[in-house]
Amino acid sequence: MYIGSMISVSKGYEAMGKQALKLGANTMAFFTRNPRGGRARDIDEEDIHNFLKLAKENHFGTLVAHASYTMNLCAARPEIQKFAKEAFADDLKRMEYIPGNYYNFHPGSHVGQGAEQAIPLIADAMNECIRAEQTTIVLLETMAGKGSEIGQSFEELKQIIDLIKPELLDKVGVCFDTCHTWDAGYDIVGNLDGVLTDFDKLIGLDKLKAVHLNNSANERGSHKDRHETIENGKIEIAAFKRIINHPVLKQLPFILETPNDDDGWKKEIKMLRELQK
């Protein structure tokens, strides 16, 4: 099982890799730039070389980088759209220093425009910034539907994907967030097979590339997006056991975004490995 957590990029890639190993992880997530701002860390090619060597030696799975939370490709204001597209394009260029990994982002919030206007804006930005020759696969994240978020349903994600240029489709996938999907109303506890069947019918399981493994503090369908630790929250442990062992999901990278410190993530990674069949 490939499992890891969010690791701070502040000390560089090699330090991130070493930190992941201390947690018992064999993959990881990291923010490509300040999650609440716009600044990105300078590229240090020696640091990246050392990280790639460490990742290869320790058989890391595919990494799942995360865009800044402030990147809103469907913002109503043109200047915010412009900033978002510039950050998006720059992140994809930077990702090629660690080729063959995933870049995950929140589709965005329509801030009053409505989904019908916002969805084409997201697809247009993706078509403009994604390059056919890149090795990075861009992942749309399933969302809880808080406020005016786009992506709270598989139908909305399908609408975005349907607008992607055919030559770029192999560079686009989906990251399945368990907290968000639960909060959006999907019964991943009582009907995981049914949820995945619905995903397959609308989008295709070949597009499902990664899982954010999070519990939720809220009841199903709350549309609130409050993560909880694996042992707490409304999603029972037995459901997580089914998720990590499901034949459709078990080969994917699992990323913990639970509200934890390093000791908490280390404990969760160990517990989830013990639940692996």
Side-chain angles (χ1 to χ4, degrees):
M1 178 170 64
Y2 293 111
I3 186 167
S5 66
M6 184 67 73
I7 305 287
S8 172
V9 74
S10 61
K11 295 182 180 180
Y13 285 91
E14 185 181 12
M16 284 196 298
K18 290 179 177 179
Q19 185 64 22
L21 291 174
K22 287 180 182 178
L23 300 180
N26 55 359
T27 185
M28 64 183 188
F30 61 93
F31 284 102
T32 51
R33 59 189 61 235
N34 186 322
R36 301 291 180 184
R39 188 180 183 280
R41 182 182 175 86
D42 293 337
I43 293 291
D44 180 338
E45 294 196 36
E46 182 180 0
D47 173 49
I48 290 173
H49 170 79
N50 291 339
F51 165 73
L52 292 174
K53 182 173 182 288
L54 179 147
K56 183 177 181 180
E57 289 173 348
N58 289 279
H59 309 290
F60 272 35
T62 309
L63 310 183
V64 188
H66 203 302
S68 169
Y69 292 133
T70 59
M71 191 183 86
N72 187 6
L73 297 175
C74 60
R77 292 164 55 186
E79 67 272 20
I80 298 178
Q81 281 185 40
K82 181 175 182 291
F83 167 79
K85 282 195 284 188
E86 288 172 352
F88 189 39
D90 184 54
D91 280 351
L92 293 183
K93 290 178 183 176
R94 296 164 65 86
M95 285 297 296
E96 291 305 296
Y97 283 92
I98 51 167
N101 289 298
Y102 297 148
Y103 172 78
N104 174 74
F105 77 103
H106 294 180
S109 297
H110 65 70
V111 289
Q113 302 173 89
E116 66 279 357
Q117 285 188 265
I119 284 171
L121 292 175
I122 298 166
D124 287 348
M126 294 173 71
N127 284 327
E128 181 179 331
C129 297
I130 297 173
R131 294 169 293 121
E133 66 272 18
Q134 72 185 41
T135 65
T136 303
I137 296 180
V138 175
L139 306 184
L140 294 153
E141 184 171 337
T142 59
M143 302 304 295
K146 180 178 65 177
S148 62
E149 282 179 342
I150 302 295
Q152 65 176 301
S153 68
F154 299 157
E155 286 84 358
E156 285 187 347
L157 295 180
K158 173 181 166 53
Q159 288 173 43
I160 297 169
I161 294 170
D162 283 349
L163 294 174
I164 301 300
K165 295 175 182 177
E167 64 269 26
L168 301 178
L169 276 173
D170 65 337
K171 306 300 180 185
V172 175
V174 173
C175 177
F176 190 103
D177 187 300
T178 54
C179 170
H180 295 174
T181 309
W182 171 260
D183 279 21
Y186 291 94
D187 188 5
I188 60 173
V189 172
N191 190 22
L192 178 61
D193 283 334
V195 172
L196 292 174
T197 296
D198 289 345
F199 185 98
D200 191 30
K201 287 177 180 177
L202 284 164
I203 298 172
L205 289 172
D206 61 311
K207 289 294 183 190
L208 185 48
K209 303 295 186 182
V211 177
H212 281 170
L213 204 61
N214 303 307
N215 210 329
S216 173
N218 304 295
E219 298 293 344
R220 180 165 67 92
S222 66
H223 302 289
K224 289 182 179 178
D225 185 10
R226 282 184 55 213
H227 294 195
E228 187 51 273
T229 57
I230 295 297
E231 289 187 288
N232 297 292
K234 302 299 182 180
I235 303 173
E236 60 193 38
I237 293 293
F240 284 109
K241 183 176 182 179
R242 289 191 291 272
I243 290 166
I244 63 172
N245 289 293
H246 196 283
V248 167
L249 305 174
K250 65 182 181 179
Q251 299 302 322
L252 303 181
F254 293 103
I255 300 296
L256 293 162
E257 295 179 317
T258 49
N260 260 320
D261 55 16
D262 284 353
D263 287 341
W265 282 321
K266 185 175 183 178
K267 178 184 175 184
E268 287 185 342
I269 289 170
K270 181 176 184 293
M271 177 185 67
L272 290 162
R273 290 202 188 283
E274 291 171 351
L275 292 175
Q276 185 184 15
K277 293 179 182 177

